[in-house]
Structures are given as structure tokens and as C-alpha cells.
Amino acid sequence: MKKSVRCLSFFTSYKLMLILLALYAVLLAAATFIESRYGSPAARAVVYNNVLFYLLQLLLIINFIGISLKVHLWRHRKYGVIIFHWAFAVVLAGALITRVWGYEGIIHIREGEQTSQMLTHQSYISGVAESKGHSVNFEFPIEINSLFTQPFSETICLGNEKIDISLDKVKYSSLQNGDHLLEMSLRVGNDERTVFLSGKDYQVGEPENVKVGDVDISIAYGSVFKTLPFTVHLQDFRLIRYPGSHSPSSFESDLILISGGTVREEKIYMNRVVYEQNYRLYQSSYDTDEQGTVLSVNNDTFGTSVTYIGYAMLLLGMIFIFAHKDSRFRILNRKLTVLTGNRKIIALFFLSVSSVSISAQEITIRDLQKSVSPVSLADRWGQLQIQNPSGRIEPVDTYTASLLRKIYRKNSFHGLTSEQVVLGFIFDAVYWNSVPVIRQTNLELHKLLGTTGKEIAFNDLFENDGAYKLAKFVEDIYMKPVSSRSRLEKDILKLDEKVNILYGLQQGKMFALFPCPSDKNGKWVSAGDDLSAFSGKDSLFVSKIMLWYSDESIRSYTTGNWDTPSDIIGMIDVYQKARSQVQVMTQKQLKAELFYNKANLFFVSAMGCLLSGILLLTAILWFQAKPSRWCQWTVRFFIGTVILFFFLQTCGIGLRWYISGQAPWSNAYESMIYIGWATLLAGLLFARRSGLVLALAAFFAGVILFVADLNWMDPEITPLVPVLKSYWLMIHVAVITASYGFFGMSFLIGVLTMFFIVRNNKQAEIRKLRIINEMSLHIGVCLLVAGTFLGAIWANESWGRYWGWDPKETWALITLVVYAMIIHARFVPKLRSDYAFSVMSVYGLLSVLMTYFGVNYYLTGLHSYGSGDVPPAVDIIGLVYWGITILAVIAARKRIPDSLSD
């Protein structure tokens, strides 16, 4: 009896809950690396679709039910906690229904054609067996992965005959076209034959015919066609590109759906779903000749509905948790009130949620100044509009800054503006080709080129006879797979890109100032491009205007009178407005973007937050040691400066939103800016409770902004890919990224708490930091939960499935699991102390860093739009955590065995 009681007690214990959650997180993390190395099928076979993984999730549900009964949540009216946790069970149930009964596929259809069949996503072993006038069709689902051969064995009955089909081995992607090669055994009685089948996902396999005993078998491996209860007719497909670019802005299909006696027209495009009976149709892809469309088809009405009910329960549960007077968050708020005497945190939280070979040494600034246009004239150039390679119409000031950042990694060069440098290469290439302006720091590449220093000149890359030094290397590198290129080879390609940019400028290209009147897509061209589309006066103007400017500039260098070149710039401006087929920027938009470029609000905010954070922290510590009225006013002053720089950063985000016309958190640079903003917001929420928290938040926000401004993240405003053109982007990314700010603040509070423990500071201050830390984690977890499942809804609207175990999705879930463990660890006595909680909040941030950096830069998945070269800041993270580990070890010897349990 005692053993049974102990067993039941263990299954309903918080200790088991933490063990299960830890195991769950480890398995999910392992699956993402398995997927990166061996592909999605291997990750599904080993983890996601494994029966043991389902059992683990079932144990988590049983554990929660047991704990809720054990601690009498219902009796204590903890309805929010019950609903919130039960919501995860409902979501898992919906996922199980989708897994068992849902199915998906694609419809490929050409203009003017119709079909009532879809090609399944699932691969099958299918065919027909015939003997003595009898036949039977067979169709068995099969999963193939590159890691191991999964057991497959099926039996078919044909009259009195039994046909055994089994899979012996798989050669994964062994054929040139990437097909899988399966070795199958077919047995009828004592007669056995081996047959080789080739195929892959979304491709109908070629059947192999074989005779086994008296049975003729036609067997194939691959996707199969399924008949739909309706017919789809494609009237028209349209690919809409960004003006003057090959990049797609949107692609859409005009359909006629025929179901029984009902006929209706529908327009389908990315992020717009068409419903027909129990099926959902999504715009997925298109044919290269733009005469056909590819639609995704999904049949999972019940599973999706159950899952969405779970999402609604999550939202309802969070509302109840924050509203209930005895919720953990409200209890912490009351404890903090006792210590600080302030009651405004909850209102602030909800408000925030709604809310010639010359060396570099021989070049002097004076020499450069003699070879460039005056600043006033360069500014006139900066106010002209230009079409960048992505099709965006932007000021020349913006475009030249992006070119100089790519070449030199800064926005200015020896005091010269980006316009002056770029115009120098266009109009005075002989001089500028000898100026070391190309950033190059790879020592191996320096040896290869025979150069030194951090910058090299354009001429350094060519032999005396004009031969390009990197030509052979570049050709050989492009013959290699991307994954097998070395660091040196990648740097060679980057340098080659910079050379091509400068060469293009010198050839009169890559400077698209002139709208092409006859181009329907609104393309703009450079003076050195093919001008055959121009005629008459337009042709004369575009072909001669830059040469005229160059000649007049040479005269102006001698006379000092730049009126004529300035007039020529005005002529280009008039031509642009008169001939552009697309909307050019208004004067208001132009001035706003020029102000944004010149003001450099985020860099100013970074420096201001760093300095204000350090000074505020110093003032608070001084005030704690020697209280005085003067010191108190100093603290208030620096709090005001932090608020000022928060306002400045908010203005910067709003201005970028206005300029781009889209929510400014769609790439790595913008998301870093937003995380810095959210971190500072989190500090301001707790400013009345602890000035130390605000000081740390300001400092951390400044670090984030400073790192974003280091030029390894491109701040260029780019058009969105079609899948990102959704209001779900604004909601999902804003909410989930805001959670990172609160987790970052908890990290800082944890570090500060360990520092105070080492310093043997007063227990009251440590307790206050612990409470704020836990409250911050509660807010962060709620935002993370909301953001993650809003992202699932976005995925369902875009790709036809709400959860696909993409690495980004999976690591967001891992982060949620990690912080759930931290929040619930207080129920385990050994993990209840302020020290333990601080250490967990510090190391928990690693899951956030992996979600944000690791997935984007080390793993592969649908979130490729955030990928790129690994930023240098990632290498610093390891060093930071080594230092924190040393601090944690020292603090462990002086830790205070206290708790904040209910």
C-alpha cells in the first residue's frame, strides 16, 4: 500500500514535472539538429512521430491532472491556471487529430485547364496485383529518411494467394535527380523476387512490373493522386513584381470551383485561403513561365478547430491569471508593494501590451576633398530618387549609404559622405581606383593578393596587364556546393561582390536614376544600361546627361562655380517625376527618410542608453551607500534621460515604419532594434519598484542597439517577400519579440542578484529583485505563449498547417518549456532559493539566444528570411557566460537559503 501511495505521489509531483519538461526540451532540441543534418523525415521518424514522444506528452498531461487534483486548484478557484494548462492538452489533442486523420497535397494546374485530383504529400507503396482473372489494388503509406531504414512489411490477399511486401534497404538520394532508391522484396508462397523502386515526395513513381509465382505485380513508390469532391478550373495566374525588380511582390490565381451543381469564382493568393467543403486551398507556388499555379490542399477541419479552441483557452486562461486576486502574479505584486509601496505595475503591463597604387598612409583628407564634389552638391544628389535592385524607390542618400556599407562597412569615409564617395567612383574612377576603400581583413586573402592593412584599393585586385587576380578562384568556388566552401572562399566571394559593385558604377550601371517610360513594371535604368527602350528626346537625355554633368564638374573644380552641375541635378529630378510609371516619393516622405538617415536615431539612442544606464546605476549605488537629497535628484535626472532616449527610440521605430510602409521587425536588424525597445519598456514598467532594474534595462538596451549598429546587420529597408505581407506578421513578431525583452531583463536581474549575494548585500534588496525577476518572467512567458500560437495561426493561413516542427517553431516551444520549468521550479525545495532562481533566469536566456540567433544562423527552415553570416557578437556570448559561470560559483558559496513559495 505504501509503495502504491509513493508511486502515485511521484506521478503527481513537481519533481516529475520538471524531469518530463527537461526531457521534452532535450528531445525537441535534438530533433532540430537531426533535421539540419539528416532532413525533416529523419527528425519525424526519430522524435516527432515516435510513439515514445507521444507517450511523453501524455505523461505531462497526466502529471498536470494529478497535480491539479492534489493541490485542489478548483477548490481554490484557480480557474485561470486550470484553463491555461488544460489548453495545452487541448492543443496536443488537436495536433494528434491532425496527425491521424488530416492529410495534405498539391494541385498543379495550367491556365485554361481544370482538375479534380490532388497529388498527396505522403509517399506510398502502391500498385496492382493480378492473377487468374482477379486483381487487387494496394496503397500503403511509407516514411523514408536518410538516417535509418524504417521497418516496412505488408500483406495483400488475392484470392487464395498471400503477397508479402517488405522493404530491405534504402539508398537515400542516390540518384542524380535526388530520388530515393528502395530495394523491395515481394513473396508469393515460396517464390520471392527483388525489385528496385525509385521516387520521392510530390512525384508519382514509375511502376515496375514483376511476376512472382502466378501473380503479376505492378508496383511503384512515390506520391499518388487522390480524387477531390470538387473541380478546380484556373482562369488566370498573375505574378506581380516589385517595380523594376524580378522579386515577386505577390502571386495570385483566379479560380472557378465546381462542386455538384454549384459554380463560383474565387481569387487566391498568399495569406488568403479558399474553403471548399472540408478542404482548404492555399497559393503555394507557380510555374517558371508564369502560365500555371501550384496550390496547397489541406483536409483537417476537425483537428484545426480543436487546436484553435486550445489557443482561445490559452488567451482566456492568461486573462484570468492576471485578473484573479490570488494568482501568482498578483501575490508577487502585493509582496513587492510591501517592499516598495507602489501599486501601478499591472496597469502599466496591460498598457504596454496594447501599445595608381597609393598606400592608405599617403591619402589625406585634404587629398580626398580635392577629388570630390562639394558637400552641398552631394546633398543635392542625395535628395534625388533612385530605384534599388529590389525595386524600391528611395533617396540616393539611402542607396549610396547601403553601397558604402557593403564596400567599407561604414556610412562615411574619412569624413566624406556616401554620396561623395560613390559619385567619385562614377565620375573620377582613375583617382578613386587607387584609394583603399574596400574593407578586407582576411590575412590569407591578403597573402593571396599581396596586400596589407584593413582596406585595399580597386587597383590592388588587378595585375599590371589588367588581369583580375580572383577570376580563377571565383570560378572554382562557384563549382563547389555552398556547404563545402571554406571561410577563405566565402571571403573571396564577398570581395568579388564588392569589386563588381565598383566596376558596375564605373561602367555607368547600378545607378538607376531614369524611369523607363515604356516599362509596365515601372523599371528604372542607369545611363550605362541598354537604352534601346528609349526614343527621341528621352533617349538623348538619358544617354548624355551624366556625361554632361561630368564635363561641367571638371570645369567647376577649376572655377569653383557649381551652379551648372546643380542645374543638371534639377533636370534629372524633373525627368524622374515626369516619366516614372510608378509612384515616386512625396516631398514629405523624402524629407522624412533623409532626416532618418542623418539623425541616426538608433545610434544616438544606443549611446544615450549605455551612458544613462551606467550613470543611473552608479548614482543608485552611491545613494544606497550615502543617501542625500542631491543624490536623489541625480537619480531622478538620469531616470528622465532614460525615458528621453526611450522616446527617441520609439520615434525612430515609428519613423522607419512610416518610411517603409510596413511593420519594422521583418529582418534581423529591425528585430534587434525592437528587442532593445522592448527591453527598455520592461525596465520602465518596473522603474517605480527598482531603479536598479531600469538602469540595467537601459544598459542592456543600449548594448543591443549598439550591436545592431555595428554594420554586420544590414539596416537597409527591403520589400517583404509575399508570405510576410500579412497582418499576422505585425502581431506575431511584435508579441513574441517583446517577450525577449522581458527575458533579457530577467537575465540582467539574475546577474545583479548573484553580484549582491557575493557582496553580502541586504536580504531585502535581493528579495525585491527576485520578485521583480519572477514577475518579468511571468509577463515574458505570457507574451511568448501568445506570440508562438499567433505564429501558428499565421502559418496556417500562409502554408496550410499550423505546426510543422520547423526549427524556429520548435525552438520557440523549447524556450517556452525552459521558462515554464524556471517558473515552476519553486515547488521543488532544492530549487526554491533566490540564488537558484537567479541562476536559472540567467541560463534560461540561452534558449532565447538559440531561438533568435542559432536557428537563423546555424539551422535551416522556413524562416530563412532571417538567415545570413554568423554575426561576430555570437562569439562574445560564450565569453560572457564563462564570466557569469565564475560569478555563479562564487555566489553559490555565499547563497542565502531562502524561498518565495506560496
Side-chain angles (χ1 to χ4, degrees):
M1 184 67 179
K2 289 184 178 180
K3 290 184 178 180
S4 299
V5 172
R6 286 180 181 177
C7 184
L8 180 62
S9 177
F10 178 72
F11 272 97
T12 59
S13 67
Y14 287 102
K15 185 180 294 185
L16 177 63
M17 178 195 67
L18 294 181
I19 293 172
L20 293 176
L21 286 174
L23 180 60
Y24 192 60
V26 169
L27 288 176
L28 291 177
T32 61
F33 287 98
I34 292 172
E35 178 176 354
S36 181
R37 184 176 179 85
Y38 299 104
S40 299
R44 289 196 297 267
V46 176
V47 179
Y48 302 135
N49 294 343
N50 194 302
V51 175
L52 295 177
F53 187 67
Y54 291 154
L55 179 61
L56 175 60
Q57 295 177 101
L58 179 62
L59 286 174
L60 281 168
I61 295 173
I62 294 173
N63 176 258
F64 166 69
I65 295 173
I67 290 175
S68 63
L69 294 174
K70 182 178 179 180
V71 300
H72 307 293
L73 289 178
W74 187 265
R75 184 185 301 173
H76 291 99
R77 298 183 178 181
K78 297 291 184 74
Y79 305 130
V81 176
I82 296 172
I83 294 172
F84 184 78
H85 288 79
W86 263 108
F88 287 99
V90 175
V91 170
L92 290 175
L96 181 62
I97 293 170
T98 297
R99 168 72 182 132
V100 176
W101 288 287
Y103 57 90
E104 57 186 334
I106 62 171
I107 296 175
H108 178 213
I109 184 171
R110 303 282 292 176
E111 287 183 349
E113 296 180 357
Q114 65 183 39
T115 183
S116 60
Q117 289 188 314
M118 78 169 189
L119 187 65
T120 62
H121 170 69
Q122 174 74 56
S123 294
Y124 293 84
I125 298 295
S126 60
V128 59
E130 298 179 342
S131 178
K132 299 177 183 179
H134 298 282
S135 66
V136 61
N137 295 311
F138 58 89
E139 196 174 87
F140 303 112
I142 187 172
E143 295 281 352
I144 301 298
N145 69 81
S146 62
L147 193 56
F148 61 91
T149 301
Q150 292 179 264
F152 177 86
S153 181
E154 297 289 348
T155 300
I156 306 168
C157 293
L158 178 61
N160 296 324
E161 300 282 5
K162 287 188 175 181
I163 306 170
D164 294 321
I165 304 175
S166 61
L167 175 63
D168 293 334
K169 61 182 179 180
V170 179
K171 293 182 179 179
Y172 193 79
S173 297
S174 57
L175 305 182
Q176 290 184 352
N177 60 0
D179 283 7
H180 315 146
L181 188 63
L182 279 60
E183 183 178 331
M184 309 291 300
S185 292
L186 306 177
R187 177 178 294 180
V188 178
N190 294 323
D191 196 2
E192 183 175 352
R193 294 284 186 274
T194 299
V195 62
F196 293 92
L197 306 177
S198 65
K200 59 184 177 182
D201 292 343
Y202 289 124
Q203 178 177 292
V204 178
E206 289 291 331
E208 295 289 337
N209 299 311
V210 61
K211 190 175 184 67
V212 186
D214 296 330
V215 181
D216 293 312
I217 302 174
S218 177
I219 186 171
Y221 161 68
S223 298
V224 300
F225 282 106
K226 296 278 190 181
T227 301
L228 300 169
F230 56 89
T231 300
V232 181
H233 176 87
L234 177 62
Q235 289 182 296
D236 184 40
F237 173 79
R238 292 178 301 280
L239 177 61
I240 303 170
R241 289 186 169 87
Y242 284 105
S245 169
H246 290 289
S247 302
S249 170
S250 177
F251 40 93
E252 53 192 41
S253 305
D254 292 336
L255 307 176
I256 296 178
L257 298 180
I258 307 167
S259 179
T262 304
V263 179
R264 79 176 196 273
E265 294 185 357
E266 289 282 1
K267 179 183 290 185
I268 184 172
Y269 47 86
M270 189 66 75
N271 295 313
R272 185 183 189 276
V273 185
V274 170
Y275 296 86
E276 179 59 37
Q277 299 183 41
N278 291 326
Y279 293 83
R280 289 174 296 165
L281 278 65
Y282 305 81
Q283 181 68 65
S284 176
S285 184
Y286 53 89
D287 293 343
T288 54
D289 63 359
E290 302 175 23
Q291 298 297 309
T293 189
V294 178
L295 307 176
S296 294
V297 185
N298 182 283
N299 186 301
D300 179 37
T301 304
F302 187 51
T304 301
S305 299
V306 172
T307 304
Y308 277 20
I309 291 172
Y311 296 163
M313 290 175 63
L314 282 170
L315 177 61
L316 185 64
M318 285 190 289
I319 293 173
F320 282 1
I321 285 173
F322 283 103
H324 195 275
K325 65 177 182 178
D326 291 327
S327 68
R328 177 64 178 173
F329 189 84
R330 296 289 289 272
I331 290 172
L332 289 170
N333 188 50
R334 286 197 293 270
K335 289 182 178 180
L336 191 58
T337 300
V338 173
L339 293 173
T340 63
N342 188 284
R343 301 176 177 272
K344 297 183 179 180
I345 185 64
I346 295 179
L348 281 173
F349 164 64
F350 285 109
L351 180 62
S352 69
V353 170
S354 64
S355 69
V356 176
S357 183
I358 304 174
S359 68
Q361 289 75 16
E362 294 172 348
I363 294 178
T364 65
I365 296 178
R366 184 177 61 184
D367 294 330
L368 291 173
Q369 292 288 357
K370 292 179 180 179
S371 305
V372 296
S373 304
V375 174
S376 59
L377 194 70
D379 288 343
R380 283 292 311 275
W381 273 105
Q383 294 170 24
L384 282 179
Q385 299 183 43
I386 193 170
Q387 188 176 70
N388 71 15
S390 300
R392 180 176 184 261
I393 305 297
E394 62 189 17
V396 167
D397 177 76
T398 301
Y399 181 64
T400 55
S402 68
L403 291 182
L404 190 58
R405 279 194 303 270
K406 189 177 288 291
I407 296 166
Y408 184 60
R409 291 185 60 185
K410 292 183 180 179
N411 293 333
S412 62
F413 176 73
H414 285 280
L416 302 180
T417 66
S418 60
E419 295 98 325
Q420 289 176 303
V421 176
V422 172
L423 291 171
F425 275 101
I426 294 175
F427 297 113
D428 192 9
V430 174
Y431 173 80
W432 277 91
N433 283 347
S434 300
V435 178
V437 71
I438 305 174
R439 184 79 170 182
Q440 203 295 103
T441 56
N442 188 302
L443 297 179
E444 292 182 77
L445 191 47
H446 270 309
K447 291 180 181 179
L448 196 66
L449 297 170
T451 56
T452 58
K454 294 182 179 180
E455 291 87 28
I456 60 177
F458 183 83
N459 286 342
D460 291 334
L461 292 147
F462 294 87
E463 304 286 359
N464 292 332
D465 60 358
Y468 183 35
K469 293 180 181 180
L470 298 179
K472 179 61 178 174
F473 296 102
V474 172
E475 183 180 348
D476 292 341
I477 293 169
Y478 276 119
M479 297 294 290
K480 287 186 175 184
V482 176
S483 58
S484 63
R485 294 172 185 169
S486 67
R487 176 64 183 271
L488 173 62
E489 290 169 335
K490 291 178 180 179
D491 285 346
I492 288 175
L493 293 183
K494 289 179 183 178
L495 181 57
D496 179 66
E497 181 187 14
K498 297 175 183 179
V499 173
N500 285 323
I501 289 172
L502 295 179
Y503 181 76
L505 291 172
Q506 295 172 39
Q507 297 300 309
K509 300 181 179 181
M510 293 195 66
F511 212 64
L513 291 169
F514 307 103
C516 187
S518 60
D519 191 273
K520 296 180 180 179
N521 290 326
K523 183 179 180 180
W524 291 25
V525 299
S526 306
D529 291 338
D530 179 10
L531 303 179
S532 59
F534 292 82
S535 61
K537 293 181 179 180
D538 286 342
S539 177
L540 184 65
F541 179 84
V542 174
S543 62
K544 300 298 183 182
I545 192 72
M546 298 296 275
L547 294 174
W548 183 22
Y549 178 87
S550 179
D551 292 341
E552 292 297 334
S553 295
I554 293 173
R555 293 190 185 94
S556 297
Y557 280 122
T558 304
T559 64
N561 186 342
W562 292 88
D563 290 344
T564 303
S566 181
D567 292 340
I568 295 173
I569 296 173
M571 295 177 192
I572 297 174
D573 184 35
V574 171
Y575 180 86
Q576 290 178 341
K577 294 174 181 177
R579 292 291 188 266
S580 179
Q581 298 294 307
V582 294
Q583 180 66 45
V584 296
M585 302 177 72
T586 64
Q587 279 300 113
K588 187 177 180 180
Q589 291 172 324
L590 185 65
K591 289 180 179 179
E593 185 156 351
L594 290 172
F595 173 78
Y596 173 84
N597 294 341
K598 302 299 183 185
N600 211 353
L601 296 177
F602 296 125
F603 179 76
V604 173
S605 298
M607 295 298 99
C609 287
L610 281 171
L611 185 60
S612 298
I614 293 172
L615 293 176
L616 177 59
L617 181 63
T618 303
I620 291 173
L621 294 177
W622 185 276
F623 179 73
Q624 289 180 347
K626 297 180 180 181
S628 68
R629 189 173 183 81
W630 174 86
C631 199
Q632 185 179 20
W633 278 105
T634 303
V635 169
R636 291 176 180 176
F637 171 77
F638 286 125
I639 290 175
T641 60
V642 170
I643 296 173
L644 174 64
F645 287 115
F646 175 76
F647 174 76
L648 195 64
Q649 189 180 351
T650 304
C651 291
I653 292 174
L655 190 57
R656 188 177 177 95
W657 195 332
Y658 170 74
I659 292 167
S660 65
Q662 61 199 34
W665 40 72
S666 60
N667 57 39
Y669 173 80
E670 291 178 342
S671 60
M672 282 285 283
I673 295 297
Y674 182 69
I675 290 173
W677 180 86
T679 300
L680 194 49
L681 173 64
L684 288 170
L685 290 177
F686 294 99
R688 291 287 186 101
R689 305 308 184 99
S690 173
L692 286 172
V693 171
L694 178 60
L696 290 174
F699 177 78
F700 194 41
V703 170
I704 294 172
L705 294 176
F706 180 75
V707 168
D709 203 65
L710 287 178
N711 283 306
W712 53 261
M713 283 186 174
D714 190 358
E716 181 182 1
I717 297 172
T718 56
L720 293 175
V721 296
V723 70
L724 297 183
K725 299 179 75 173
S726 167
Y727 56 87
W728 289 113
L729 167 73
M730 181 175 65
I731 302 172
H732 156 62
V733 179
V735 173
I736 201 169
T737 310
S739 71
Y740 298 164
F742 286 91
F743 294 143
M745 193 178 72
S746 291
F747 162 84
L748 293 172
I749 295 173
V751 173
L752 184 63
T753 301
M754 288 189 288
F755 178 75
F756 279 178
I757 291 174
V758 171
R759 289 277 308 274
N760 289 317
N761 277 61
K762 295 179 180 180
Q763 175 64 16
E765 188 65 35
I766 294 175
R767 177 56 51 83
K768 183 168 65 173
L769 290 174
R770 158 67 187 270
I771 294 173
I772 295 174
N773 195 348
E774 190 171 343
M775 293 179 73
S776 179
L777 285 188
H778 274 81
I779 297 173
V781 166
C782 286
L783 290 173
L784 181 61
V785 169
T788 299
F789 293 110
L790 283 170
I793 296 173
W794 176 28
N796 194 39
E797 294 297 315
S798 299
W799 297 299
R801 70 2 163 227
Y802 54 84
W803 197 270
W805 294 115
D806 178 75
K808 193 77 166 183
E809 298 171 346
T810 305
W811 271 97
L813 180 59
I814 292 170
T815 302
L816 177 59
V817 171
V818 167
Y819 280 101
M821 292 169 60
I822 295 173
I823 287 176
H824 292 86
R826 61 191 172 86
F827 294 109
V828 177
K830 291 184 179 180
L831 300 176
R832 192 173 288 171
S833 68
D834 295 336
Y835 167 79
F837 188 84
S838 299
V839 170
M840 288 186 291
S841 67
V842 167
Y843 285 92
L845 189 71
L846 287 172
S847 63
V848 175
L849 295 173
M850 183 63 193
T851 304
Y852 185 77
F853 286 113
V855 173
N856 286 12
Y857 298 105
Y858 294 113
L859 300 177
T860 57
L862 288 172
H863 295 74
S864 58
Y865 36 79
S867 64
D869 293 331
V870 179
V874 175
D875 299 328
I876 301 174
I877 293 173
L879 296 176
V880 171
Y881 269 94
W882 270 112
I884 290 173
T885 301
I886 295 172
L887 177 64
V889 171
I890 297 173
R893 303 179 64 180
K894 298 184 178 182
R895 66 182 182 270
I896 305 168
D898 57 355
S899 66
L900 260 181
S901 60
D902 286 334

